[in-house]
């Protein structure tokens, strides 16, 4: 059995945590089950790097699962949070900053006439679908196998991310009646979507989809797929909901809907718009959003929605990016990393797929392009485990599941890319030896 990836202090701290927290983690995918089940305990981060309890540093491509567009503890983000906190941690009342963030989102996101701030992607997706059902007076929601839209009961159907990691795409505790109104079809398959509409004609409230799937690994929408979904929903009188919790201001300024010019009826954002603190949002056309209380009969609420300290982190993060040029520049750097990894895999004869959009990327140990969850699940698990373990051992932090995406930040530069190549070269060699 290879040496555990976590050092002695991490192991001690994890054992203590497991005495109070189920599985020692506050979110299952952090449990590192596929990497030996003993996660690193992280004590700090700065720029592109994190440090664990044993003082080891790692170039980080998890970036808190996507929020950290500018790396860890960016000085201007930290300063904004400190200044906001000094004015009070929150008031349960409207504040100037939440309206500023809402204004920035409405200006940047093509589908947003109105936006409601919440505290997590789960809340954003759950609320957007409640609104879709209220506005259309229909019940069925169609999602895609391997896409993950948070852990609301009715969305834990054929779900990705941690659900797929633990082979639990449907969760215990969700009554069949709750799940029965959710239909899941393969991603990138318009014929399957058409068939689902035919089966539930007149009762489909919404289709919810990740415009770039990041919870079955990194799987971009196929050419024409999003446009096809848009046309189908328009024809059927259903709402297209883009779950941009991961892609929002990660792949492009304004999200994938800005980059692809496919405008949904509603969209969900999170992660980057909170800059690492709990901010998420859902929004869309004014006529839809005005179904929400206090204007309409669709209820959604939240104690910490629009919290000024969290909003300060999100606003500063978005202002630091500022617009499209930031993503063009970052993608240019990230493409060097991705193409270099592909070249190293080829050098060692290891079947490897990799891609990137904006500052989001991912890879599969597969000999063919991955376009949906079923193909993702056929990837070489042993190769993934060997390679990722070897990368972590050499100081490169990657998601502990093959059903996740990877991320890049403006703090990642040439030094990080060169160090990643050196680690990857040795890791691919280890995979090749084991084949
Ligand atoms: P949260 O409730 O975790 O903030 O967001 C749920 C969510 C919704 N939609 C998409 C596309 C998402 O990726 C997520 C959450 N992403 C996972 C990682 N794939 C969060 C990490 C975790 O669950 O610990």
């Amino acid at each position: 059995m290879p040496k555990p990836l976590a050092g002695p202090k991490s192991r001690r701290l994890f054992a203590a945590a497991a005495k109070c927290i189920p599985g020692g983690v506050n979110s299952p995918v952090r449990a590192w089950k596929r990497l030996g089940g003993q996660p690193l305990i992280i004590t700090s981060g700065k720029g592109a790097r994190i440090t664990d309890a044993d003082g080891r540093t790692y170039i980080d491509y998890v970036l808190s699962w996507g929020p950290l567009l500018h790396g860890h503890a960016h000085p201007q983000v930290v300063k904004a949070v400190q200044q906001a906190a000094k004015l009070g941690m929150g008031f349960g009342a409207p504040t100037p900053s939440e309206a500023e963030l809402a204004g920035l989102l409405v200006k940047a996101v093509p589908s947003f006439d109105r936006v409601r701030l919440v505290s997590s992607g789960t809340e954003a997706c759950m609320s957007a679908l409640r609104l879709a059902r209220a506005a259309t007076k229909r019940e069925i929601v169609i999602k895609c196998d391997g896409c993950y839209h948070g852990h609301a009961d009715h969305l834990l159907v054929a779900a990705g991310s941690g659900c797929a990691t633990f082979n639990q795409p449907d969760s215990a505790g969700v009554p069949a009646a709750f799940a029965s109104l959710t239909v899941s079809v393969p991603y990138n398959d318009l014929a399957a979507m058409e068939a689902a509409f035919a089966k539930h004609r007149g009762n489909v409230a919404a289709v919810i989809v990740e415009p770039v799937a990041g919870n079955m690994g990194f799987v971009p929408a196929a050419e024409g797929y999003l446009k096809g979904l848009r046309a189908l929903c328009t024809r059927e009188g259903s709402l297209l909901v883009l779950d941009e919790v991961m892609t929002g201001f990660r792949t492009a300024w304004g999200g994938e809907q800005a980059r692809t010019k496919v405008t949904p009826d509603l969209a969900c954002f999170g992660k980057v718009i909170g800059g690492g603190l709990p901010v998420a949002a859902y929004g869309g056309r004014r006529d839809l959003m005005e179904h929400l209380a206090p204007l309409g009969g669709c209820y959604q609420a939240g104690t910490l929605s629009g919290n000024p300290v969290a909003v300060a982190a999100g606003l500063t993060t978005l202002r630091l990016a500022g617009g499209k040029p930031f993503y063009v520049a970052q993608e240019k750097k990230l493409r060097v990393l991705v193409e270099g990894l592909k070249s190293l895999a080829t050098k060692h004869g290891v079947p490897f797929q990799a891609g990137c959009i904006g500052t989001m990327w991912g890879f599969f140990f597969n000999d063919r392009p991955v376009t949906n969850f079923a193909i993702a699940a056929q990837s070489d698990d042993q190769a993934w485990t060997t390679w990722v373990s070897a990368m972590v051992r050499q100081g490169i932090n990657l998601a502990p599941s093959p059903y996740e995406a990877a991320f890049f930040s403006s703090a990642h530069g040439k030094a990080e890319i060169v160090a990643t190549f050196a680690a990857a070269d040795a890791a691919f060699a280890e995979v090749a030896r084991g084949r």
Side-chain angles (χ1 to χ4, degrees):
M1 179 71 177
K3 187 166 63 73
L5 298 172
K9 278 189 185 169
S10 274
R11 294 203 298 275
R12 249 197 326 278
L13 288 166
F14 185 62
K19 293 193 175 95
C20 326
I21 304 169
V25 292
N26 282 309
S27 196
V29 77
R30 301 177 193 172
W32 277 40
K33 280 281 180 230
R34 287 176 179 251
L35 289 176
Q38 160 66 64
L40 306 174
I41 302 294
I42 305 303
T43 54
S44 67
K46 186 71 188 148
R49 287 170 171 75
I50 51 175
T51 301
D52 72 11
D54 295 275
R56 300 172 185 167
T57 62
Y58 304 81
I59 295 171
D60 183 25
Y61 292 108
V62 177
L63 294 168
S64 190
W65 297 99
L68 306 179
L69 193 63
H70 306 294
H72 294 273
H74 187 287
Q76 288 174 262
V77 176
V78 171
K79 186 175 172 203
V81 167
Q82 288 170 330
Q83 286 175 335
K86 283 176 188 159
L87 296 174
M89 301 305 285
F91 314 105
T95 62
S97 64
E98 66 190 298
E100 275 181 68
L101 177 56
L104 185 157
L105 295 174
V106 164
K107 189 166 172 225
V109 180
S111 61
F112 279 11
D113 294 338
R114 295 288 185 277
V115 62
R116 177 59 66 83
L117 302 181
V118 293
S119 300
S120 72
T122 293
E123 267 193 280
C125 294
M126 173 179 73
S127 307
L129 292 174
R130 182 182 305 133
L131 173 58
R133 285 173 161 147
T136 62
K137 295 185 176 47
R138 296 178 176 184
E139 293 182 335
I140 297 291
V141 163
I142 306 175
K143 69 177 289 293
C144 290
D145 304 342
C147 281
Y148 177 74
H149 307 291
H151 64 91
D153 279 347
H154 66 290
L155 288 169
L156 290 176
V157 173
S161 184
C163 304
T165 305
F166 298 100
N167 300 315
Q168 296 166 333
D170 304 330
S171 170
V174 176
F178 284 30
S180 64
L181 297 176
T182 306
V183 174
S184 195
V185 298
Y187 190 65
N188 279 329
D189 184 339
L190 285 172
M193 192 62 78
E194 185 79 71
F197 268 107
K199 189 172 177 199
H200 299 280
R201 183 133 289 137
N203 194 25
V204 177
V207 168
I208 184 166
V209 69
E210 293 179 58
V212 177
N215 290 288
M216 58 178 99
F218 174 84
V219 181
E223 189 60 39
Y225 182 63
L226 295 178
K227 279 193 172 59
L229 293 182
R230 176 64 280 171
L232 265 175
C233 287
T234 303
R235 186 192 80 195
E236 297 287 333
S238 304
L239 301 185
L240 176 61
V241 181
L242 288 190
D243 177 354
E244 298 227 46
V245 167
M246 191 181 284
T247 56
F249 297 92
R250 172 56 67 184
T251 60
W253 182 259
E256 271 301 278
Q257 57 190 278
R259 195 181 71 84
T260 61
K261 308 270 186 290
V262 173
T263 303
D265 300 292
L266 294 170
C268 310
F269 283 70
K271 296 181 189 276
V272 170
I273 71 167
L277 295 189
V279 178
Y282 67 104
R285 292 199 326 258
R286 179 176 178 178
D287 64 296
L288 294 172
M289 294 298 285
E290 292 193 344
H291 281 272
L292 289 173
L295 299 178
C298 183
Y299 194 73
Q300 172 267 313
T303 301
L304 299 178
S305 297
N307 174 275
V309 179
V311 163
L315 260 179
T316 308
T317 295
L318 295 179
R319 285 172 177 156
L320 280 168
K324 186 174 177 181
F326 171 86
Y327 295 89
V328 172
Q330 298 311 317
E331 182 173 305
K332 196 169 167 211
K333 287 193 295 183
L334 178 52
R335 204 160 284 288
V336 170
L337 174 70
V338 168
E339 294 308 316
L341 291 177
K342 288 159 72 174
S343 302
L344 287 167
T346 303
K347 169 187 167 189
H348 292 282
V350 174
F352 183 77
Q353 307 288 331
C356 65
I357 297 175
T359 63
M360 182 176 170
W361 64 287
F363 55 89
F364 289 98
F365 285 87
N366 203 312
D367 55 11
R368 61 179 173 145
V370 178
T371 56
N372 63 33
F373 181 67
I375 299 171
Q378 292 162 0
S379 301
D380 184 336
D381 216 29
Q382 186 51 56
W384 177 88
T385 304
T386 302
W387 192 77
V388 171
S389 300
M391 294 292 272
V392 172
R393 203 168 287 119
Q394 297 177 87
I396 309 295
N397 187 46
L398 292 164
S401 161
Y403 300 122
E404 294 295 347
F407 305 102
F408 194 77
S409 85
S410 52
H412 288 77
K414 188 170 180 218
E416 289 71 29
I417 292 173
V418 168
T420 305
F421 285 163
D425 197 15
F428 280 124
E430 196 173 326
V431 172
R433 283 194 298 275
R435 289 172 60 77

